[in-house]
Amino acid sequence: MGNKQTIFTPEQLDAYQDCTFFTRKEILRLFYRYRDLAPQLVPLSYINKPDVKLPYELIGSMAELKDNPFRQRIAEVFSEDGEGNMTLDDFLDMFSVLSEMAPRDLKAYYAFKIYDFNNDDYICKSDLEKTVNKLTRNELTPEEVSLVCDKVIDEADQDNDGKLSVEDFQHMIVRAPDFLSTFHIRI
Amino acid sequence: MFYHDNEAFENPDYHYSETLEIDRSRERNSSFHQNLHDSSLDDDSLYDSYEGRSGRGQRNQDYPLAIPMASMQPGFQYSYSTSRSAMQHNTNPYGNPHTNPSFEYEPELAYTSPSFHAADGPYVRRSSDMSDGGSFSQRYNRRQADLVYRMPSSLLRLDSNAETYNEDKHKQEEKLIKNLASMSSRERIKAIQKTPKTMKEKRDIRNKVLMEKTKKSASYHTQINCCTQCLYKTALSYQQFKNGLSECWHLLQFWQKTLKVIGGKFGTSVLSYFVFLKWLLTFNIFSFLVNFSFITIPQLIVSGPNNLSFNGLELLSGAGYFKKTVLYYGFYTNSTITKTENNSSYNMRLAYIFTIGIYFIICFFSLVYSMAKSFRKNFINPHTYSGSAAKLLCIWDFNITNEKAVKLKQSNLSTQIKESLSEVTLEVLNLSLKQRIARIAVHLVVWVASLGIAAACCAGVYFLSRNNLQFLEGKKSELENEAATLVLPIVVSLLNLLVPFCFALFGLLEKFQYPRHQLYVTVIRNIFLKISIIGILCYYWLNDVATLEKECWESLVGQDIYRLIVIDFIFCLFGSFFGEFVRRIIGTKCCKKLGVPEFDIARNVLDLIYTQTLAWIGIFFAPLMPAVQIISFFIIFYVKKVSLMRNCQPPRKVWRASQMTTLFIFLLFFPSFTGVLAVMAVTIWRRMPSNQCGPFQGLTSIIDAVSGWIHILDSYSGSKWVVWIYRNLIGSVHFFFILTVIVLMITYLYWQIIEGRKIMVRLLHEQIINEGKDKMFLLNKLSALQTSKLGPPKGEQQERSSSLYQPSRQAALQMTASLERPFGRNGRDFYAESFSAGIPEKTGLSPADSEGHRPAISETLALALRARQQAEWEMQDDDDKDFRP
């Protein structure tokens, strides 16, 4: 294992530190976590800015994500190509947003994106149905699912357009105090 | 897949129209405005902290600038908006600027962007291009390519458009960078961290900002002397020092991994218990350090050897050998410790009272602080907590990483959803008067019974303790005496263990409508029981033991507290053994119906609060009590963890972890800590310290130590201010009277502000609902118009629905919805703006709002007309699209 001087330059580390909610130590730890996913792919030095991308299959197999029903969405939202293949930057970004330090609005913004399955800027009924099915492992009947979704839209939709916008979502998040602690992955 | 993509692509087309772009930025703005009023409500929100810092000051200053900027920029704005419309609708007759619907928004853009900073511009933009996760420029290129394909005739125009567009983008970025560069480094980092962009973009921005900074500072440094450079260097080294410190702090965060495992297996709710335990533990470590360094170490220097024998039973009873150690008050000397020749001395009396006094003051403030923080975070808007929506979308616990736990959570969730669905029908059921009376009667009876039980427990404890005291007076053998002293703590612990079960049974009898109410009621009853038992014990100590005129009553009290804590700890271990381990054996082997026990968070947390209260009381009588507490908490942490992992399953019901944590911190503060303060006050001001032992022997009350010291100080001219402070502030009734009045006034003021905000929130909510209604009305009108006047050709409609997989009507709705949005937002903005410093209205539509929430008819018509035009273009647009492969 190289020490931190050989993995990143101090400038790189500073940049990472300024762009995420992590300390140097945590950044290095996350780097090792990233590298452990595919030691043969990820070089031990990032000084030359290698263009490495880990495929979704590897990212999704992380202990933190592998049982999460939303793992694919998380990976898609945070990856630059939108398909779940992640560079180290994306990886750090993801855990930075999911860390304890991230503010509510940032978390809410990304949570919204995660639940917006069809990427249309709104959480519509089909998104909600997908969410419910993921949350309950398809144990509810379709009627129940659609009833629940109607109720949710009814409650959270402030401007009556039949779907939830980012603002609706954020408005709702403000009233759910547990969100901050549950939208959080310990690393 | 292509169509899917296509569709996602098309909606943003609207987002791209100038209206929406502005609308988005205005939204942000509105949230900023609201935050101006509600900054305390949502302090940690991005916009508040972010814009608040950078924008609040500048905003008003920017207004005068805004208009010139608008007049300076129209060239580019204008071409921008034209280009937009031209790009979208090359055959559009309204493509010229004068009738361009987006035209009238233009001043707004100019007006919002400078104050609102480009910093948020990208954010806004990004939120509007969420549909492709790529960067805006990429997207733009894609669009452009698309458009070129679609409209070869406008190729030339497009090129220039692209240029203006890029210019615009550059300008925005420059502004952002300038803004960031003007911030302090900490704020800048925070702002960058909070921008929802990819790392690459963030890093680019950061690097540019840094470059800007160095450029600036380079020119700066040549002019200005080395003094500033020096300052800059110290600031830099301070920053580095702080970074190092924060890394050290992270090292101190022990149990990180254990907490992660627990969170992964049991979710946030159970985790909250362990976090609370850890918090208490750090609290105790702090108090141990304080007491040890300021009281114990000086005493250890002077104390002689201890010649009492140690036989092991002392660990349980706290008597015997421990009597002559630094553990208890009685061992401390009243003398002044002088070790060195040069006359520096250490007054034990003052050290004792000041250490403990300051410790309590620190405790007070840190409790108030964490309570306030927790309240602010978790009770922002407790009244409007809505059921299923928030439940569904916020419920997933991303902490959980264990496969079994995930499955369990999912099945729990599905049963919960089913339950809540069935509740919908149940809730309608209204109770008759008779049933209601019966219910109230049951509640009353149960309350009387539980209060009666608590009172009976207290009386029992009091008489037992008095009898015990008399028993100890008689001459008995040592062993008998020690055994007798253990009776009281065992009885108290038994009561604490068994009576809560009784209360839980009551809860079954009562049948609360909401499980939440049952939880709160049980918690209140339990805390009442525990606190009243402690209260009666305090009464016994201060009233009976203190007036006993035995050799050292303070040490006796200290021993009592020690025993209570130790026995309670042992009971806690037994509790997790019998309550969880044996229960699991029974549940899995004998009686399958019972199943694996759930981890009872409320009971466990209340136990912690109880022991912490005892430890706080004990800190005066036994300064090293925190050490005992640290050891016991440490062991409890591991025992509970093992027991949890082996025996328990996560609670099935939703546990509002954060709200309950707030409640627990509050309970720790209110009956527990304030009660401790009261006990301390009585001890220090009203009780006579024992004559033969302890630092305060020979005084009539403990506070005399301080007043005596002040008296001595009076003779020194250099320390007159201390005397003055003591006489006029601490010792005077008037000061406290005035302080109380001021606090009451501030409280009243805040209460009024909160009331005002509640009204504000209600009004705004009504406003939103009204806007929604307006929108529906307009939509209906519009669709009616569409069907009657335009009547789109059938063939085309079919084509549309097949190509876009949505009926044309829905498309129309969608489109109008996007048109309508600025309207709704304007309404909100209007409200916010009219409250902020009387900023002149600049929106085109809000005059309609000022005329009583409903748009004037002419406005409505204009809007409808505009929407129709938009619809026409949209159709032409679709025609174009249909030609595409």
Side-chain angles (χ1 to χ4, degrees):
Chain A
M1 291 267 168
N3 58 16
K4 58 180 156 187
Q5 263 72 42
T6 60
I7 297 172
F8 301 112
T9 59
E11 291 77 41
Q12 273 176 317
L13 263 182
D14 274 343
Y16 279 133
Q17 226 176 339
D18 285 357
C19 297
T20 62
F21 295 97
F22 295 127
T23 60
R24 274 153 201 272
K25 250 187 131 69
E26 286 166 322
I27 289 165
L28 286 171
R29 200 161 45 143
L30 276 168
F31 167 75
Y32 287 125
R33 289 298 308 274
Y34 182 71
R35 192 170 179 275
D36 284 346
L37 293 175
Q40 68 283 7
L41 281 179
V42 184
L44 253 178
S45 162
Y46 257 70
I47 292 173
N48 309 323
K49 296 179 187 149
D51 184 26
V52 181
K53 223 179 227 184
L54 293 192
Y56 164 69
E57 288 71 33
L58 282 174
I59 300 286
S61 68
M62 275 185 80
E64 278 80 6
L65 290 176
K66 80 177 183 326
D67 294 304
N68 195 323
F70 297 103
R71 62 181 175 280
Q72 182 153 14
R73 277 305 297 165
I74 297 175
E76 280 169 10
V77 164
F78 285 101
S79 61
E80 213 172 329
D81 62 358
E83 280 162 21
N85 308 319
M86 290 193 141
T87 60
L88 178 67
D89 286 4
D90 297 336
F91 189 78
L92 284 172
D93 233 7
M94 170 168 79
F95 283 110
S96 167
V97 170
L98 287 166
S99 75
E100 208 170 0
M101 301 288 294
R104 193 193 294 268
D105 275 29
L106 188 68
K107 277 178 185 264
Y109 171 76
Y110 279 103
F112 179 85
K113 282 180 86 169
I114 287 172
Y115 293 129
D116 179 19
F117 283 85
N118 54 10
N119 292 331
D120 67 349
D121 289 1
Y122 290 99
I123 294 184
C124 51
K125 208 174 159 190
S126 68
D127 294 327
L128 278 176
E129 276 167 4
K130 271 184 197 152
T131 310
V132 173
N133 283 331
K134 284 210 185 279
L135 283 175
T136 58
R137 242 184 325 144
N138 303 323
E139 275 178 26
L140 299 181
T141 60
E143 292 83 52
E144 282 171 326
V145 170
S146 101
L147 211 64
V148 171
C149 297
D150 284 341
K151 228 173 118 187
V152 169
I153 290 182
D154 206 39
E155 255 176 49
D157 184 20
Q158 295 283 327
D159 47 7
N160 284 329
D161 55 1
K163 51 200 175 176
L164 308 186
S165 59
V166 198
E167 292 77 35
D168 291 333
F169 191 75
Q170 281 179 340
H171 186 74
M172 188 180 70
I173 293 294
V174 170
R175 293 181 292 167
D178 279 340
F179 173 74
L180 266 188
S181 53
T182 52
F183 195 71
H184 170 205
I185 293 182
R186 273 165 208 272
I187 250 297
Chain B
M1 198 54 218
F2 170 71
Y3 282 130
H4 174 84
D5 192 25
N6 201 12
E7 199 253 349
F9 197 41
E10 180 173 56
N11 270 341
D13 261 18
Y14 278 102
H15 297 211
Y16 267 88
S17 73
E18 198 64 67
T19 2
L20 215 91
E21 197 76 44
I22 293 156
D23 165 36
R24 291 271 172 176
S25 51
R26 287 195 57 82
E27 258 157 47
R28 297 276 149 260
N29 230 355
S30 82
S31 84
F32 160 58
H33 275 300
Q34 282 162 4
N35 278 336
L36 256 178
H37 311 294
D38 294 7
S39 55
S40 66
L41 287 184
D42 199 6
D43 252 356
D44 46 350
S45 86
L46 168 65
Y47 306 109
D48 187 49
S49 45
Y50 183 83
E51 291 171 41
R53 240 183 290 109
S54 48
R56 218 170 270 186
Q58 290 172 15
R59 199 181 160 82
N60 287 336
Q61 297 159 11
D62 275 340
Y63 273 100
L65 262 178
I67 302 156
M69 283 209 55
S71 52
M72 262 160 61
Q73 283 189 347
F76 121 75
Q77 294 291 359
Y78 170 91
S79 57
Y80 182 35
S81 47
T82 11
S83 69
R84 292 267 140 230
S85 50
M87 274 196 288
Q88 279 175 16
H89 332 287
N90 60 332
T91 47
N92 162 24
Y94 299 98
N96 65 68
H98 301 289
T99 42
N100 188 336
S102 33
F103 181 63
E104 61 183 84
Y105 288 102
E106 192 191 292
E108 249 179 81
L109 182 67
Y111 133 78
T112 42
S113 54
S115 59
F116 176 61
H117 330 174
D120 265 23
Y123 175 64
V124 169
R125 184 144 287 166
R126 171 121 167 161
S127 71
S128 64
D129 23 79
M130 264 192 263
S131 46
D132 78 0
S135 75
F136 189 51
S137 58
Q138 275 171 352
R139 213 200 127 76
Y140 179 73
N141 291 339
R142 252 174 79 193
R143 267 187 61 83
Q144 198 183 350
D146 236 27
L147 289 165
V148 169
Y149 184 80
R150 266 160 63 185
M151 323 162 205
S153 60
S154 62
L155 245 177
L156 250 174
R157 232 153 124 209
L158 258 175
D159 269 352
S160 60
N161 285 334
E163 263 167 42
T164 41
Y165 177 66
N166 277 337
E167 243 171 65
D168 164 46
K169 210 186 138 216
H170 269 295
K171 265 186 196 164
Q172 289 229 341
E173 214 174 87
E174 264 168 38
K175 256 183 224 159
L176 161 70
I177 285 163
K178 248 182 218 154
N179 266 318
L180 284 173
S182 65
M183 291 182 197
S184 79
S185 63
R186 204 171 133 225
E187 282 170 356
R188 188 180 61 238
I189 290 171
K190 265 194 184 162
I192 292 175
Q193 280 172 345
K194 280 174 184 171
T195 13
K197 296 176 148 225
T198 59
M199 181 79 78
K200 214 194 259 161
E201 290 166 291
K202 275 193 278 190
R203 203 167 29 206
D204 278 351
I205 292 173
R206 176 188 172 271
N207 289 341
K208 277 181 192 161
V209 170
L210 283 184
M211 230 143 66
E212 185 92 354
K213 273 221 120 169
T214 44
K215 236 194 281 167
K216 243 190 217 167
S217 59
S219 58
Y220 208 60
H221 277 306
T222 47
Q223 294 164 8
I224 297 193
N225 55 12
C226 65
C227 188
T228 37
Q229 212 163 352
C230 231
L231 264 176
Y232 180 73
K233 266 184 188 161
T234 38
L236 209 72
S237 56
Y238 171 71
Q239 198 73 29
Q240 277 168 354
F241 171 72
K242 233 175 51 185
N243 275 348
L245 212 68
S246 76
E247 270 179 34
C248 284
W249 179 246
H250 274 274
L251 276 183
L252 277 178
Q253 303 263 318
F254 49 109
W255 288 336
Q256 192 65 31
K257 208 152 186 199
T258 323
L259 288 179
K260 185 185 163 187
V261 171
I262 293 169
K265 250 182 137 174
F266 293 90
T268 325
S269 53
V270 175
L271 191 67
S272 67
Y273 165 78
F274 286 89
V275 171
F276 190 70
L277 180 54
K278 202 181 120 181
W279 186 68
L280 281 182
L281 189 72
T282 43
F283 227 89
N284 277 300
I285 289 175
F286 166 71
S287 56
F288 170 74
L289 286 179
V290 167
N291 279 2
F292 190 76
S293 47
F294 290 107
I295 305 180
T296 311
I297 290 179
Q299 178 63 35
L300 279 175
I301 292 169
V302 291
S303 61
N306 188 346
N307 46 14
L308 288 170
S309 65
F310 182 75
N311 61 7
L313 198 67
E314 282 96 341
L315 279 178
L316 215 59
S317 70
Y321 174 81
F322 284 128
K323 267 190 213 165
K324 287 274 181 275
T325 58
V326 283
L327 184 58
Y328 293 120
Y329 166 91
F331 186 68
Y332 290 87
T333 172
N334 65 342
S335 60
T336 310
I337 299 162
T338 333
K339 265 281 162 191
T340 48
E341 289 78 30
N342 53 2
N343 222 358
S344 61
S345 61
Y346 194 81
N347 190 335
M348 203 57 206
R349 262 183 194 170
L350 290 177
Y352 202 95
I353 196 162
F354 279 136
T355 308
I356 293 198
I358 288 170
Y359 168 68
F360 273 113
I361 289 170
I362 293 172
C363 266
F364 178 82
F365 282 112
S366 71
L367 267 179
V368 167
Y369 172 75
S370 40
M371 200 165 65
K373 207 170 108 184
S374 175
F375 260 109
R376 195 183 62 197
K377 228 171 164 180
N378 305 324
F379 280 87
I380 294 174
N381 210 347
H383 298 296
T384 51
Y385 189 90
S386 62
S388 55
K391 229 187 233 165
L392 196 74
L393 287 175
C394 308
I395 203 156
W396 187 258
D397 197 339
F398 286 75
N399 270 316
I400 297 181
T401 51
N402 182 290
E403 195 188 342
K404 242 168 85 188
V406 169
K407 279 192 183 145
L408 201 67
K409 176 106 190 166
Q410 282 173 330
S411 57
N412 281 344
L413 269 179
S414 55
T415 42
Q416 263 171 41
I417 290 173
K418 276 181 191 161
E419 270 172 20
S420 70
L421 281 180
S422 59
E423 258 173 35
V424 175
T425 47
L426 266 177
E427 261 173 35
V428 188
L429 166 149
N430 247 335
L431 293 172
S432 70
L433 190 70
K434 226 177 182 180
Q435 278 170 312
R436 221 177 277 170
I437 290 173
R439 190 162 267 201
I440 291 171
V442 168
H443 284 318
L444 267 181
V445 168
V446 171
W447 267 107
V448 168
S450 42
L451 292 186
I453 288 176
C457 288
C458 289
V461 166
Y462 186 62
F463 285 111
L464 179 75
S465 50
R466 286 191 68 141
N467 280 339
N468 216 13
L469 202 63
Q470 276 166 10
F471 178 80
L472 290 174
E473 297 274 280
K475 293 275 169 272
K476 300 274 161 29
S477 74
E478 185 104 334
L479 201 68
E480 240 177 293
N481 259 347
E482 293 206 348
T485 54
L486 285 178
V487 173
L488 178 68
I490 288 178
V491 169
V492 170
S493 296
L494 266 180
L495 285 179
N496 271 331
L497 192 70
L498 297 180
V499 176
F501 277 109
C502 197
F503 289 164
L505 283 183
F506 284 160
L508 290 182
L509 259 179
E510 277 180 294
K511 290 199 191 81
F512 277 98
Q513 232 168 346
Y514 302 102
R516 188 162 33 115
H517 290 181
Q518 186 179 345
L519 185 75
Y520 281 127
V521 165
T522 323
V523 164
I524 289 168
R525 281 175 195 160
N526 279 325
I527 200 82
F528 183 77
L529 172 81
K530 282 172 203 268
I531 292 298
S532 50
I533 285 180
I534 292 181
I536 206 76
L537 281 172
C538 287
Y539 178 75
Y540 154 74
W541 287 324
L542 294 180
N543 213 41
D544 294 301
V545 181
T547 51
L548 207 57
E549 309 211 335
K550 265 185 92 175
E551 37 160 348
C552 203
W553 66 268
E554 287 95 344
S555 290
L556 284 185
V557 173
Q559 284 171 32
D560 264 347
I561 292 172
Y562 176 87
R563 281 191 288 267
L564 279 170
I565 287 180
V566 169
I567 298 291
D568 191 77
F569 165 68
I570 291 168
F571 265 76
C572 175
L573 297 190
F574 278 130
S576 47
F577 181 77
F578 287 108
E580 285 154 10
F581 176 66
V582 176
R583 167 80 174 65
R584 180 194 51 133
I585 301 285
I586 293 170
T588 49
K589 296 271 153 62
C590 315
C591 183
K592 287 263 160 76
K593 228 204 237 157
L594 282 172
V596 184
E598 286 177 19
F599 187 76
D600 191 343
I601 305 162
R603 189 170 56 84
N604 281 302
V605 172
L606 288 182
D607 282 346
L608 289 183
I609 292 177
Y610 167 76
T611 35
Q612 188 54 45
T613 316
L614 278 178
W616 270 329
I617 297 173
I619 217 165
F620 184 80
F621 304 104
L624 288 192
M625 201 57 91
V628 179
Q629 192 78 345
I630 289 170
I631 296 167
S632 92
F633 276 167
F634 212 78
I635 297 171
I636 285 178
F637 188 94
Y638 281 105
V639 168
K640 284 284 173 198
K641 187 201 133 196
V642 170
S643 161
L644 180 76
M645 293 290 184
R646 292 279 157 90
N647 306 323
C648 296
Q649 62 171 0
R652 266 183 299 119
K653 294 222 174 74
V654 193
W655 173 264
R656 299 220 179 107
S658 40
Q659 284 189 14
M660 286 315 274
T661 315
T662 318
L663 177 72
F664 288 138
I665 295 177
F666 179 72
L667 287 179
L668 191 68
F669 177 75
F670 170 57
S672 157
F673 188 71
T674 40
V676 170
L677 284 186
V679 172
M680 282 299 108
V682 172
T683 320
I684 288 170
W685 268 273
R686 291 274 178 272
R687 289 289 164 262
M688 200 174 110
S690 46
N691 258 328
Q692 275 95 44
C693 65
F696 302 105
Q697 47 188 290
L699 297 175
T700 47
S701 70
I702 291 167
I703 196 69
D704 283 352
V706 179
S707 43
W709 178 61
I710 292 294
H711 203 71
I712 295 166
L713 276 186
D714 212 4
S715 52
Y716 297 104
S717 56
S719 44
K720 280 272 194 265
W721 58 276
V722 181
V723 181
W724 188 88
I725 286 177
Y726 180 78
R727 295 251 163 88
N728 289 302
L729 298 184
I730 296 167
S732 105
V733 184
H734 300 292
F735 173 71
F736 282 103
F737 178 73
I738 293 167
L739 199 72
T740 318
V741 168
I742 290 173
V743 167
L744 281 179
M745 264 160 59
I746 292 173
T747 316
Y748 179 74
L749 201 75
Y750 270 96
W751 185 57
Q752 283 302 317
I753 290 173
I754 287 172
E755 288 300 306
R757 272 185 195 159
K758 267 186 200 158
I759 294 169
M760 199 50 216
V761 166
R762 215 192 55 230
L763 281 178
L764 287 174
H765 202 253
E766 274 170 19
Q767 172 83 1
I768 294 172
I769 291 168
N770 271 339
E771 298 294 352
K773 276 183 196 159
D774 285 349
K775 199 158 79 181
M776 290 320 282
F777 170 76
L778 278 174
L779 284 181
N780 288 340
K781 265 268 152 80
L782 207 80
S783 52
L785 262 176
Q786 233 180 2
T787 42
S788 66
K789 278 199 176 172
L790 291 169
K794 271 245 151 98
E796 195 185 77
Q797 209 170 352
Q798 272 164 5
E799 242 178 51
R800 272 180 66 104
S801 55
S802 63
S803 66
L804 293 169
Y805 70 77
Q806 58 185 7
S808 76
R809 166 125 182 198
Q810 202 185 330
L813 288 189
Q814 220 170 23
M815 161 203 75
T816 30
S818 66
L819 227 181
E820 228 79 328
R821 284 180 70 87
F823 179 57
R825 297 302 169 196
N826 279 341
R828 255 196 249 178
D829 278 4
F830 171 68
Y831 260 76
E833 261 167 33
S834 57
F835 278 87
S836 64
I839 297 153
E841 266 303 348
K842 291 197 173 120
T843 54
L845 286 171
S846 27
D849 292 317
S850 56
E851 293 166 25
H853 302 217
R854 214 154 257 286
I857 296 167
S858 58
E859 283 289 339
T860 322
L861 264 178
L863 211 91
L865 277 173
R866 210 179 294 148
R868 222 177 73 197
Q869 287 159 6
Q870 197 86 9
E872 280 170 7
W873 306 335
E874 156 78 357
M875 247 165 258
Q876 282 156 357
D877 216 31
D878 280 336
D879 288 350
D880 288 339
K881 220 166 266 169
D882 290 338
F883 293 135
R884 274 190 293 168

